[in-house]
Amino acid sequence: MPQSCSEGQVDWYEAFAEVMGELRKVYCFAMRSMAGGGAFHRAYYHATQQAFLEAHEFAFQFFGGVFRRLRYDNLKSAVKKILRGYQREETERLIAFRSHWGFQTEFCNPARGNEKGGVEGEVGYFRRNHLVPVPRVESLEELNKLLLAGCRADEQRRIAGKPHTVGEAMGIEREHLLPLPAEGFELAEISFPVVDSKGCVKARTNCYSTPLKPGTRTRVKLLPAYVEVWQERECVARHERSFSRYEQVLDLEHYLDVLERKPGALAGSSPLKQWRERGRWPESFDRLWQSLRERHGPQAGTRAMIELLGLGKRYGWDRLREAIKESLALGCTDAAAVRHLVTANELVRSHTEPFELSGLERYDRPLPQMQEYDLLLSLTTTGAEVAR
């Protein structure tokens, strides 16, 4: 087996994406196969060591196995100290990670990017073909779906001098990779905070909202891009991770029960303000809300709007947005109409599949003979005449 059949190269690079109308810098992880030419790309807002390791796991899943050797430059996520020659003192986390996955590491000399020219060339190709013009997305998750689609599309290309397409070469190469372990490496930072009086839990210095009652002890997973709140093996809240300090990250969905009792608090609430900032509260919601207040009064109209928001929590926010948009387009601003549009799919009865009617001949019966009844009627008539 050629040595390159089990070698991959890794690097970070910077790019830009328009996320919810805002131009943002992202840090993209790239892993390229030296034999097949296939590559995996994934974006993060922050190039942390946790993101670096998580991207490895996504890459291994993409390739269908683990490279026996990975080559890096002197990334801070991987190297604690540069020693003589090619020797490096690796970070403890990377040592534990590569021991779990079973691969070996090699490092380039400082300022010698040509020693990993494969991934450097891949970055330039991928940027030109999939990041120009600047992609427009609604979230980091959508951007990563776009990058993954680009990686899959590149499997159809044929690199000059290669007898196979990239995808075909990856299939051959997969036979030489190390198998994926049964379980991944635990990357999340775990803590067990208690829900405070505002319905939030604290992870590092930031607070994240939950739907749980104050005083409940939870399990929080701090991931590279998200924070998850778990209760009894169920993920009850998931937020985009904040890298600021002493910030509150609030989800309006978690406060709907409280707002139903105090509808007047909705307009000036911090969760609503954050939803507006994140683009989760479209202009159509304000139009419907204003109409409901004009029709039913401030309190009752706001309570009706909050009840409709509960439908988004139950049936999905995309479905609610489409229902409100359709209702406004029809010139109808009644809450019942919106509720009907959201739940209309559940009112449609499933069609019964046609079935074969053969074999029913055994149920055939002869028609009744009505002459006997005519005879009885004639006898009754005759008896009546005799009685007269």
Side-chain angles (χ1 to χ4, degrees):
M1 179 185 69
Q3 184 178 7
S4 61
C5 277
S6 59
E7 181 178 319
Q9 295 184 353
V10 176
D11 204 2
W12 282 109
Y13 64 96
E14 296 179 2
F16 286 90
E18 189 175 310
V19 184
M20 291 192 300
E22 179 185 356
L23 188 65
R24 298 193 63 171
K25 179 190 288 187
V26 293
Y27 298 87
C28 297
F29 170 95
M31 180 184 291
R32 183 185 187 272
S33 159
M34 292 307 296
F40 174 80
H41 297 253
R42 185 171 178 82
Y44 294 89
Y45 288 136
H46 296 270
T48 63
Q49 184 189 60
Q50 195 181 33
F52 177 70
L53 299 180
E54 182 191 68
H56 276 72
E57 296 201 348
F58 280 108
F60 295 152
Q61 295 291 337
F62 173 78
F63 286 106
V66 181
F67 293 101
R68 298 172 185 272
R69 183 183 299 104
L70 289 175
R71 180 180 290 270
Y72 308 88
D73 58 15
N74 298 285
L75 301 166
K76 291 182 179 179
S77 299
V79 176
K80 183 187 294 186
K81 185 177 181 181
I82 299 176
L83 305 177
R84 183 176 299 179
Y86 287 96
Q87 296 183 350
R88 301 289 185 272
E89 183 180 344
E90 300 175 47
T91 62
E92 295 178 1
R93 194 70 168 159
L94 177 61
I95 293 172
F97 183 80
R98 66 175 174 81
S99 298
H100 176 86
W101 291 94
F103 65 88
Q104 297 179 346
T105 55
E106 286 188 358
F107 296 90
C108 303
N109 278 313
R112 295 295 298 273
N114 61 298
E115 294 183 2
K116 56 176 181 60
V119 72
E120 300 254 346
E122 164 63 28
V123 168
Y125 174 87
F126 194 87
R127 189 195 298 274
R128 291 190 300 271
N129 287 273
H130 302 293
L131 291 169
V132 177
V134 173
R136 296 180 177 180
V137 294
E138 293 299 315
S139 64
L140 183 66
E141 186 174 359
E142 184 180 341
L143 175 60
N144 280 318
K145 289 181 180 178
L146 190 69
L147 297 184
L148 181 59
C151 297
R152 294 297 185 194
D154 287 347
E155 292 181 21
Q156 305 304 316
R157 71 186 180 107
R158 190 184 299 271
I159 300 175
K162 299 284 188 179
H164 304 284
T165 65
V166 169
E168 292 169 346
M170 287 174 62
I172 298 172
E173 178 185 47
R174 195 170 293 122
E175 301 176 3
H176 302 288
L177 301 180
L178 297 171
L180 296 170
E183 297 182 359
F185 186 80
E186 181 57 75
L187 295 171
E189 182 180 312
I190 306 295
S191 60
F192 298 90
V194 174
V195 179
D196 64 18
S197 59
K198 297 180 180 180
C200 295
V201 293
K202 191 173 184 179
R204 291 199 178 182
T205 63
N206 298 315
C207 292
Y208 299 87
S209 68
T210 79
L212 302 174
K213 294 181 179 180
T216 305
R217 184 167 295 279
T218 66
R219 183 169 181 257
V220 172
K221 292 184 178 182
L222 195 66
L223 299 165
Y226 298 95
V227 173
E228 295 179 350
V229 182
W230 289 74
Q231 174 69 9
E232 296 182 355
R233 299 184 180 181
E234 179 185 1
C235 182
V236 296
R238 188 171 188 261
H239 296 274
E240 186 175 298
R241 179 176 172 179
S242 171
F243 287 87
S244 301
R245 292 175 62 82
Y246 307 109
E247 183 179 18
Q248 281 190 329
V249 182
L250 308 176
D251 190 337
L252 180 61
E253 181 178 312
H254 298 155
Y255 297 95
L256 294 181
D257 292 342
V258 175
L259 290 171
E260 280 189 10
R261 299 192 298 270
K262 300 179 179 180
L266 175 62
S269 65
S270 295
L272 176 57
K273 179 183 177 182
Q274 291 193 17
W275 264 33
R276 292 186 187 277
E277 293 171 350
R278 297 177 201 148
R280 294 192 62 183
W281 186 273
E283 181 268 343
S284 59
F285 280 30
D286 280 321
R287 288 170 56 196
L288 178 64
W289 186 11
Q290 179 61 30
S291 178
L292 291 172
R293 285 185 291 188
E294 290 175 355
R295 175 178 295 187
H296 304 290
Q299 287 287 101
T302 300
R303 183 174 285 108
M305 186 66 194
I306 294 170
E307 290 175 357
L308 290 179
L309 294 176
L311 296 178
K313 180 179 178 180
R314 179 178 176 183
Y315 295 100
W317 295 100
D318 290 340
R319 195 162 163 181
L320 177 62
R321 278 192 290 268
E322 288 301 316
I324 290 178
K325 183 179 178 181
E326 183 178 354
S327 178
L328 293 172
L330 294 171
C332 179
T333 55
D334 184 71
V338 176
R339 187 177 296 105
H340 171 76
L341 292 172
V342 171
T343 60
N345 290 340
E346 295 188 349
L347 302 177
V348 177
R349 296 183 181 275
S350 59
H351 297 287
T352 304
E353 294 294 331
F355 58 90
E356 187 63 39
L357 294 178
S358 61
L360 299 180
E361 295 83 359
R362 64 181 182 274
Y363 297 108
D364 288 346
R365 295 292 183 269
L367 293 175
Q369 299 297 324
M370 305 303 294
Q371 293 86 344
E372 303 295 334
Y373 292 97
D374 292 338
L375 179 60
L376 289 173
L377 289 173
S378 64
L379 291 174
T380 303
T381 304
T382 302
E385 292 176 352
V386 172
R388 286 200 296 269

